């Protein structure tokens, strides 16, 4: 059964450093919730507090309304997939997966059956007798997942589980998490520094920085309505401009950037934003008609060219131009104009 | 860029140095074994025709020597068991301690640096004051002080293979402290435990300085042999040395064989279905 989580003013300090600085959060039962942040943001400490490996300096943690702040890890109804997986090297795959059931006790045949079920769940049927050393990185990942899932936890904690996998495996396992979440129905909490993982998997996510939440919301909220500049940059919106003039009129936002006028629909917006982020994939180059710019830097990124453009007043705009355009025409120092297509402007509230 | 190991002259030098070191280490004890087969009273290598087991036969009648050997084996066994157990707990404590780690390490390892004659004297003075009559147990006390730091260091080294996340993962899966220790930590440090135990046993068997202060009526083997050498050596001592050397070599060979077999079994198990 999925379990809901409620954090009330949770803080954890190491000496004078506040790793987690007064967090309030409600997570619904069965939700896929992601803590997104760079290293040192406090996201791992918060996960450890949820798992019971770390005691908060103050505040309380509740599972389904019951206070578990003082309950140690081995008596919490949640299981963890650790960053380094922490598979026991002296046990076979089946012994690893069955360890939690062995500790819990109970019928041996039933335990064997459940271990086999868990192994099939992660596509490792028949791998039970192998040693951990004989597995590939992706298989180990699955064993760690099976070891946690076999306990049928109400909450599954995932501590940067995809770090260190190659890109293809990463995407495979990412989809696997989504599938297992739908299949088990448990509350999943993922900690990651990778925005793609966070945006594709989560029902909701929290962007964490210096022990605090910068924004909590759905992927759509975070991507299209970033709460502040930090969040915007974190989800890949590097070009943030301060328009010369902004006003809100009839649910439409009008802005002037480098002398050009732009407008976009802004339903639900109550005040004009101070700053605007520009989505790089919505910027196109043309001979004239847009904002006059000079190409300052040029990087080839495989599927697209990334261009850093500088406007007359020194503002930089990043543009992604499809790589079918010949590179010769994108030389540094080239003068062009940047046109902003529909959806290019994203309001940044503070 | 080469380091030079593939050069013929460098390799030859390395081989010669290796052979020389092995000779220096192993020749004297081998010579001892050699003269133990000489039936004459004067020590010297026997000629091939003279080889005899005379002194080995005489060993059986050396009641004093055998009693000392028995005493030493008893002391070494008790020292081994107690030191290893204490070292396990000391190492587990080290694993759990935070900032006090380094202090704890120094505290446990310190007796290693106290000269044996001083430690033995100090202990015997205190035991005397408490009116404890010296017996094999008092020797064991001195030997534990001597062997514990070594067993602790050996076990601590193997503790490095126990990642903190293993213990956390076991806790996450519901294991309490006792289950985490017996099911995760101890199996992983088994090689260290075996090493620590062998180390303690041998250190105790060899120990002289502490024993000389703490010994009761029955001498330990090193004390007895030293005494015998002073009062003119009998060749039975050479025979006993031969036996001890042979048993040690066999014991080490047995342990290595067992470890190799276990490693092979593990490797086979992992290849089986791959």
């Amino acid at each position: 059964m999925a379990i809901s989580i409620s954090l009330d003013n949770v803080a954890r300090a190491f000496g004078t450093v506040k790793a987690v600085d007064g967090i309030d959060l409600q997570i619904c039962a069965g939700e896929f919730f992601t803590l997104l942040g760079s290293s040192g943001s406090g996201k791992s400490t918060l996960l450890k507090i949820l798992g019971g490996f770390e005691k908060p300096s103050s505040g309380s943690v509740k599972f389904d309304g019951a206070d578990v702040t003082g309950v140690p890890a081995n008596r919490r109804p949640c299981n963890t997939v650790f960053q380094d997986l922490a598979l026991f090297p002296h046990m076979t795959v089946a012994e690893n997966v069955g360890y939690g059931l062995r500790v819990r006790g109970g019928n041996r045949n039933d335990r064997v059956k459940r271990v086999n079920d868990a192994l099939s769940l992660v596509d490792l049927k028949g791998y039970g007798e192998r040693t951990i050393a004989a597995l590939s990185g992706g298989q180990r990942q699955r064993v760690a997942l099976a070891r946690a899932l076999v306990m049928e936890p109400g909450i599954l904690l995932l501590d940067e589980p995809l770090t260190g996998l190659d890109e293809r495996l990463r995407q495979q396992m990412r989809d696997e998490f989504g599938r297992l979440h739908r299949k088990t129905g448990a509350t999943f909490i993922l900690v990651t520094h990778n925005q793609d993982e966070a945006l594709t998997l989560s029902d909701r996510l929290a962007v964490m920085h210096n022990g605090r939440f910068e924004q909590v919301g759905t992927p759509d909220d975070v991507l299209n309505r970033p709460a502040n500049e930090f969040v915007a940059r974190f989800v890949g919106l590097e070009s943030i401009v301060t328009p010369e003039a902004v006003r809100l009129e009839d649910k439409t936002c009008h802005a002037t950037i480098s002398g050009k006028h732009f407008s976009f629909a802004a339903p639900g917006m109550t005040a004009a934003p101070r700053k605007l982020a520009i989505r790089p994939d919505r910027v196109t180059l043309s001979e004239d008609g847009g904002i006059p710019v000079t190409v300052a830097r040029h990087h080839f990124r495989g599927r697209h060219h990334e261009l850093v453009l500088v406007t007359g007043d020194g503002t930089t705009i990043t543009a992604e131009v499809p790589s079918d355009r010949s590179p010769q025409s994108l030389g540094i120092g080239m003068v062009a104009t940047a046109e902003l297509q529909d959806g290019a402007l994203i309001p940044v509230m503070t | 860029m080469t380091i030079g190991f593939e050069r013929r002259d460098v390799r030859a030098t390395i081989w010669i140095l290796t052979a020389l070191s092995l000779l220096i280490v192993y020749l004297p004890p081998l010579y001892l074994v050699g003269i133990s087969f000489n039936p004459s009273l004067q020590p010297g290598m026997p000629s091939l025709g003279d080889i005899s087991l005379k002194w080995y036969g005489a060993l059986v009648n050396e009641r004093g020597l055998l009693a000392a050997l028995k005493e030493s084996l008893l002391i070494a066994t008790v020292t081994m068991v107690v030191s290893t157990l204490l070292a396990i707990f000391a190492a587990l404590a080290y694993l759990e301690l935070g900032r006090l780690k380094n202090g704890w390490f120094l505290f446990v390892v310190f007796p290693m640096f106290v000269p044996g004659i001083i430690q033995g004297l100090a202990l015997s003075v205190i035991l005397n004051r408490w009116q404890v009559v010296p017996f094999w147990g008092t020797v064991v006390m001195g030997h534990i002080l001597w062997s514990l730091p070594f067993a602790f260091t050996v076990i601590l080294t193997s503790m490095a293979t126990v990642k903190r996340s293993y213990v956390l993962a076991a806790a996450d899966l519901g294991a309490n402290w006792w289950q985490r220790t017996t099911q995760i930590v101890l199996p992983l440090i088994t090689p260290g435990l075996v090493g620590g135990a062998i180390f303690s046993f041998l250190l105790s068997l060899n120990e002289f300085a502490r024993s000389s202060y703490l010994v009761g009526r029955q001498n330990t083997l090193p004390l007895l042999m030293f005494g015998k050498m002073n009062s003119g050596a009998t060749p039975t001592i050479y025979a006993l040395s031969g036996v001890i050397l042979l048993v040690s070599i066999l014991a080490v060979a047995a342990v290595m064989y067992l470890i190799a077999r276990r490693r092979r079994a593990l490797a086979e198990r992992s290849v089986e279905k791959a």
Side-chain angles (χ1 to χ4, degrees), chain A:
Chain A
M1 277 305 288
I3 293 174
S4 66
I5 302 169
S6 152
L7 299 181
D8 182 25
N9 199 21
V10 167
R12 177 70 171 100
F14 298 101
T16 54
V17 183
K18 286 179 183 161
V20 174
D21 192 6
I23 294 279
D24 292 305
L25 179 66
Q26 311 293 327
I27 298 172
C28 308
E31 197 172 4
F32 197 128
F33 192 91
T34 302
L35 297 168
L36 177 66
S38 48
S39 53
S41 61
K43 58 189 194 303
S44 287
T45 307
L46 190 55
L47 192 83
K48 282 185 187 139
I49 288 173
L50 288 175
F53 304 111
E54 197 79 71
K55 270 210 180 101
S57 318
S58 64
S60 72
V61 181
K62 289 188 182 120
F63 286 176
D64 272 347
D67 195 316
V68 294
T69 316
V71 177
N74 57 332
R75 283 193 264 125
R76 288 200 186 192
C78 57
N79 289 102
T80 309
V81 175
F82 290 85
Q83 186 172 1
D84 65 352
L85 305 182
L87 298 174
F88 307 130
H90 60 301
M91 296 184 189
T92 63
V93 169
E95 284 165 348
N96 261 283
V97 175
Y99 182 74
L101 298 176
R102 174 179 146 198
V103 167
R104 200 186 269 171
N107 182 291
R108 200 181 171 79
N109 292 333
D110 177 52
R111 263 152 54 189
V112 171
K113 190 186 166 299
R114 287 174 64 178
V115 167
N116 286 333
D117 288 349
L119 284 175
S120 339
L121 186 67
V122 295
D123 276 336
L124 282 179
K125 206 169 183 169
Y127 280 66
E129 290 310 308
R130 294 201 196 179
T131 56
I132 299 306
L135 299 182
S136 71
Q139 289 168 338
R140 285 179 202 191
Q141 193 85 49
R142 288 163 198 272
V143 174
L145 263 171
R147 186 175 70 175
L149 288 174
V150 78
M151 305 299 287
E152 294 176 357
I155 301 167
L156 185 71
L157 305 174
L158 302 154
D159 187 7
E160 306 214 29
L162 297 179
T163 314
L165 291 185
D166 65 57
E167 192 51 37
R168 209 174 64 88
L169 207 52
R170 208 182 164 84
Q171 288 177 10
Q172 247 176 43
M173 288 309 298
R174 193 184 63 193
D175 297 344
E176 190 85 0
F177 287 158
R179 183 177 73 87
L180 291 172
H181 178 240
R182 286 190 296 276
K183 187 144 187 172
T184 58
T187 309
F188 273 42
I189 313 282
L190 171 72
V191 158
T192 183
H193 58 258
N194 184 308
Q195 39 137 331
D196 286 334
E197 276 166 43
L199 295 173
T200 43
L201 287 170
S202 323
D203 294 321
R204 282 193 309 149
L205 64 140
V207 181
M208 227 178 148
H209 182 53
N210 285 339
R212 290 179 162 279
F213 286 163
E214 296 287 341
Q215 185 173 6
V216 182
T218 62
D220 179 60
D221 287 340
V222 173
L223 205 55
N224 295 319
R225 286 172 293 283
N228 55 39
E229 230 178 298
F230 178 85
V231 175
R233 286 187 200 283
F234 208 91
V235 295
L237 299 168
E238 289 292 340
S239 329
I240 293 171
V241 296
T242 312
E244 288 108 61
V246 204
R247 78 199 140 78
L248 194 62
E249 207 171 78
D250 290 341
K251 294 182 177 171
T252 305
C253 188
H254 302 274
T256 312
I257 301 169
S258 295
K260 294 277 172 190
H261 180 80
F262 300 95
S263 61
F264 57 93
M269 195 183 284
T270 50
R274 257 187 349 102
K275 291 185 175 180
L276 295 171
I278 300 173
R279 277 181 60 169
D281 55 329
R282 293 285 184 196
V283 180
T284 52
L285 287 186
S286 60
E287 300 296 323
D288 57 358
I291 306 167
V293 290
T294 313
V295 177
R297 286 203 300 276
H298 170 214
H299 305 283
F300 181 58
R301 299 281 192 222
R303 287 190 194 156
H304 62 262
H305 297 279
E306 186 183 296
L307 300 174
V308 178
L309 311 169
V310 182
T311 66
D313 57 12
T315 310
T316 58
I317 299 171
T318 310
E320 287 172 2
V321 180
S323 41
D324 52 4
R325 194 162 161 180
S326 71
Q328 284 83 0
S329 64
L330 298 171
I332 290 173
M334 190 185 85
V335 180
T337 68
E339 293 197 49
L340 306 184
Q341 306 299 326
D342 281 349
L345 289 172
I346 291 169
V348 178
M349 296 318 290
T350 52

Side-chain angles (χ1 to χ4, degrees), chain B residues 147-249:
Chain B
S147 61
L148 179 62
F150 291 92
F152 174 66
T153 329
V154 172
I155 291 174
L156 208 56
T157 312
S158 67
M159 278 278 188
T161 61
V162 185
K163 286 200 223 160
R164 194 168 159 68
S165 63
Y166 296 157
V167 183
L168 292 185
D172 184 70
L173 293 165
N176 57 30
W177 182 87
W178 179 250
Q179 289 164 322
R180 296 199 288 271
T181 304
T182 55
Q183 295 168 352
I184 307 294
V185 178
L186 290 184
L188 285 172
I189 62 166
T190 310
L193 295 186
V194 174
I198 292 177
F199 230 124
S200 315
F201 186 86
L202 291 179
L203 284 171
S204 163
L205 201 64
N206 278 326
E207 215 285 328
F208 185 89
R210 293 166 186 79
S211 312
S212 66
Y213 287 101
L214 298 165
V215 76
R217 275 203 206 150
Q218 173 59 57
N219 262 344
T220 64
L221 193 64
L223 292 177
L224 188 91
M225 283 172 81
F226 185 72
K228 281 209 174 236
M229 286 302 286
N230 274 351
S231 59
T234 64
T236 43
I237 286 188
Y238 304 143
L240 186 62
S241 309
V243 171
I244 292 175
L245 201 65
L246 196 71
V247 170
S248 314
I249 290 172

